[in-house]
Amino acid sequence: MITNTVLFAFIIGAVSGLVAAGALAWAKDLRLKMTWWKWLLTISWYLLLNFSVLLAFTMMGEGETGAGLKMLLFFGIITFILGVGLARLLWMGRKKPVSS
Amino acid sequence: MTDDVKNEEKKEGSGVSRRNFLKISGAAAAGVQIGAVAGLGLAAGKDPATHTGWQHLGDNTQFVDRQSLQMKGLPYQEVGPVRRPEEVESPFGRQRLMMKSMMRGGMGPKPERSRRSGPFRMTMPPADSFAEPLAGFYKEHPDIYELDKVRLESIMPKKREDEAKYGDYYTLINAWSASWMAGQPIKDPPEVSDFRIGNPMMGRGRKIREAIPFKSPELAAELIKKVAHHFGATMVGITRLKQEWCYNHGLRGVKDKGPYEVPKHWEYVIAFGVPHQWEQVQSNPNCGTSVDAYSRATIAARRLETFIKSLGYPARRHSPMDGYDLIAVPILVDAGLGQQGRHGIIITPETGSNFRAAFVTTNLPMKIDKPIDFGVNDFCKTCKICAEICPSASISFEKTNEKITTRGYRHWEINQASCFNFWMQSMGGMGCRLCLIACPYSRKNNWAHAMARVVDGHDPTGLVNKGLTWMQKTFFKTPEAAEYLPPPDGRFANFREPPDWLTVGKYLDMKVLKPTKGE
Ligand code: SF4
Ligand code: SF4
């Protein structure tokens, strides 16, 4: 069991690293003016997204499929609304493109 | 020379170069990783979960640190004269006294057996025609007389009809339940049985040896807990035995079932228990049983009794299948295994209400545990799920237990007579256990439930408590209380559908009738 946990942690760690690198690349590409608190909000939102999915699927795994789907819907809507709010906030501080 | 190399050289001139920085941090990271891998290897080597076939018999099952939960003050309030429980107060005791009076006493009307009316029927004699203490008890509690009368005259004949009609539907749960039966009654009084050791099948065994002293009570407690876990106990605690937690009648191994003095050598009590099988327990009340956990707790009790006796100390087991001379819940509370819930039974931090207890009384000096508080009292104030779901309306809806007093103590108490009447209506392995499994604390130990328990335990505002109760009631579909009743009022519903291995239709080539409401 512990071996699986270690393997899982390694994979999740590697994937999280890739996600972080990807997020940096996106922020540069989209010319977002990221500050520490914007990163904090983005990471919190991403954790909420993960939490919602994990919770719903844990319930489904327990045999509580109905409860899992309801939770996915409930937390999914909350995550979506917060995600839209966050995107607008990040968009507001975009740098103007440099004209050549 | 390229620009990049020039830049690199410039940086080298101004302090640590990027290359050097990467080299140092890479080496440090490798060191940290090797340290972490070593730690993980150590943990992997120690992890009792790797003991194939014995995963559940290590002390890793009692994973909540109880020291941090120790309660200040007493877990229950003394509000009047304290006394020991009497036989007539328990539905089982009354049933025995009733039957004894009716069958052997020659009092009141005889049981009626009518071939034409089908099932075996009995008529309850008037309350004052019973022998004492039953007559006096019924005079004082006419409501309980009525409940016992309904059970005898209506519920039991209807149960026999239901069994004839739907019994086959419950073939697998009945087989599963029967397979766990393992009773081994105690045949001698404490002054004999507690001091003798040996195979009970081969006489009374031999006298126990002289007591071997332990190095300290702390070490005695440590060893006893360790072996109790290995004998199958999921959780273990130790306390001193209070007289008022011992029945005042029916001492096992004694012919006279009347009052008795609590034996002097019952100084300490080791309290322990196990949960029910987690899939089966969800399909209560009609596709469940108590016997799986009863059996495991009982076998652990027999082993622990023998272990203690082997070291020269007298010991007596008190267990679901071999009988109790004491009541369980207050001892479990005293021993720090959990708190009492609204449904009257114990709630442990590890398995919630899914816990069946056994005990060993002894005079082996051991360090005792303290009662714990992990927020059950506050949670029960708002939750009330057990009261809402109870098919016999036996659980109080009061906000607190302030108005409930039993034998001098204030604590939650259900209406045992109406609860027992529902047991007599249910199918499967008899009983109900619905409040046990509907309780939100009774969940497996995955991250979601573990997190909920920890967060709730540390929230002084009560918001988490309200949120969790709301989630339980909103997201989880559960049959209404009346649906658990027999047809035509209900449909013999279960909290959750039984697992496939208890589903007759999947495995057995037989025709069964599924109970339906209104039939
Ligand atoms: S065991 Fe069943 S009938 Fe008895 S109190 Fe609990 S839910 Fe009610
Ligand atoms: S179901 Fe709720 S009210 Fe009942 S014992 Fe459990 S926590 Fe308390």
Side-chain angles (χ1 to χ4, degrees), chain B residues 177-407:
Chain B
S177 184
S179 320
W180 287 96
M181 291 285 182
Q184 199 179 89
I186 286 181
K187 294 196 183 112
D188 290 306
E191 61 273 19
V192 179
S193 74
D194 298 15
F195 292 83
R196 299 194 78 82
I197 187 170
N199 186 345
M201 315 298 277
M202 304 175 56
R204 286 185 166 153
R206 61 186 155 77
K207 206 169 172 321
I208 55 172
R209 56 170 297 160
E210 199 180 316
I212 308 169
F214 273 81
K215 289 191 168 163
S216 72
E218 285 77 13
L219 284 172
E222 183 185 308
L223 179 70
I224 290 300
K225 287 181 182 176
K226 187 133 218 130
V227 297
H229 281 298
H230 289 307
F231 291 153
T234 308
M235 282 152 260
V236 195
I238 298 170
T239 187
R240 278 187 183 275
L241 182 64
K242 288 186 185 161
Q243 298 245 340
E244 58 261 39
W245 306 148
C246 296
Y247 288 112
N248 80 339
H249 61 273
L251 183 63
R252 287 170 302 154
V254 175
K255 282 221 172 72
D256 172 16
K257 293 291 164 207
Y260 69 92
E261 292 256 315
V262 176
K264 291 218 165 25
H265 62 273
W266 292 4
E267 281 181 67
Y268 294 87
V269 53
I270 304 147
F272 49 95
V274 302
H276 290 288
Q277 202 278 340
W278 284 97
E279 289 172 303
Q280 172 266 126
V281 74
Q282 299 267 342
S283 46
N284 277 310
N286 294 299
C287 255
T289 182
S290 294
V291 190
D292 58 346
Y294 280 3
S295 178
R296 289 180 57 211
T298 296
I299 287 172
R302 283 187 207 144
R303 290 169 176 159
L304 190 60
E305 182 196 273
T306 304
F307 185 81
I308 294 170
K309 284 178 173 175
S310 303
L311 299 176
Y313 297 88
R316 171 169 280 217
R317 64 186 181 273
H318 306 259
S319 74
M321 312 226 75
D322 295 347
Y324 296 100
D325 298 314
L326 38 79
I327 50 173
V329 176
I331 298 175
L332 296 170
V333 170
D334 283 347
L337 287 184
Q339 287 185 270
Q340 192 197 31
R342 175 181 292 276
H343 50 11
I345 53 177
I346 197 83
I347 301 180
T348 70
E350 289 90 352
T351 60
S353 313
N354 184 10
F355 183 79
R356 295 301 195 171
F359 307 88
V360 172
T361 44
T362 181
N363 65 3
L364 164 62
M366 291 166 287
K367 182 180 176 229
I368 60 168
D369 294 299
K370 297 220 169 83
I372 56 169
D373 181 358
F374 56 105
V376 169
N377 291 341
D378 284 339
F379 200 91
C380 285
K381 274 185 202 162
T382 47
C383 170
K384 299 185 186 172
I385 286 176
C386 53
E388 286 163 11
I389 207 171
C390 175
S392 60
S394 304
I395 302 176
S396 167
F397 275 95
E398 293 284 331
K399 189 162 186 202
T400 65
N401 59 11
E402 300 249 309
K403 292 185 203 139
I404 309 173
T405 304
T406 313
R407 295 186 303 276

Side-chain angles (χ1 to χ4, degrees), chain A residues 10-100:
Chain A
F10 269 120
I11 293 168
I12 288 291
V15 171
S16 305
L18 280 176
V19 169
L24 277 168
W26 273 100
K28 269 191 194 149
D29 206 35
L30 294 168
R31 298 186 307 281
L32 302 179
K33 238 162 87 188
M34 294 300 281
T35 57
W36 69 266
W37 59 268
K38 283 184 183 171
W39 276 120
L40 189 70
L41 284 178
T42 310
I43 292 167
S44 306
W45 179 83
Y46 186 67
L47 288 178
L48 177 67
L49 176 69
N50 276 276
F51 171 82
S52 309
V53 173
L54 188 61
L55 181 66
F57 280 85
T58 304
M59 291 303 121
M60 290 185 214
E62 268 187 47
E64 301 282 3
T65 311
L69 289 172
K70 281 184 210 163
M71 284 181 188
L72 197 60
L73 190 71
F74 178 76
F75 286 107
I77 290 172
I78 294 178
T79 314
F80 179 76
I81 294 170
L82 290 176
V84 171
L86 179 68
R88 288 177 66 101
L89 185 78
L90 299 185
W91 235 249
M92 280 189 323
R94 269 180 96 191
K95 285 181 217 149
K96 296 256 156 42
V98 186
S99 50
S100 55

Side-chain angles (χ1 to χ4, degrees), chain A residues 1-2 6 10 51 54-55 58-59 62 64 66-67 70-71 74-75, chain B residues 33 40 44 47 282 444 446-449 451 470-471 474-476 496:
Chain A
M1 203 181 83
I2 194 96
V6 172
F10 269 120
F51 171 82
L54 188 61
L55 181 66
T58 304
M59 291 303 121
E62 268 187 47
E64 301 282 3
K70 281 184 210 163
M71 284 181 188
F74 178 76
F75 286 107
Chain B
Q33 190 166 38
L40 283 168
D47 188 358
Q282 299 267 342
K444 289 186 287 189
N446 61 35
W447 71 273
H449 301 304
M451 190 177 80
W470 175 82
M471 279 172 75
T474 311
F475 295 139
F476 294 82
R496 296 288 181 265

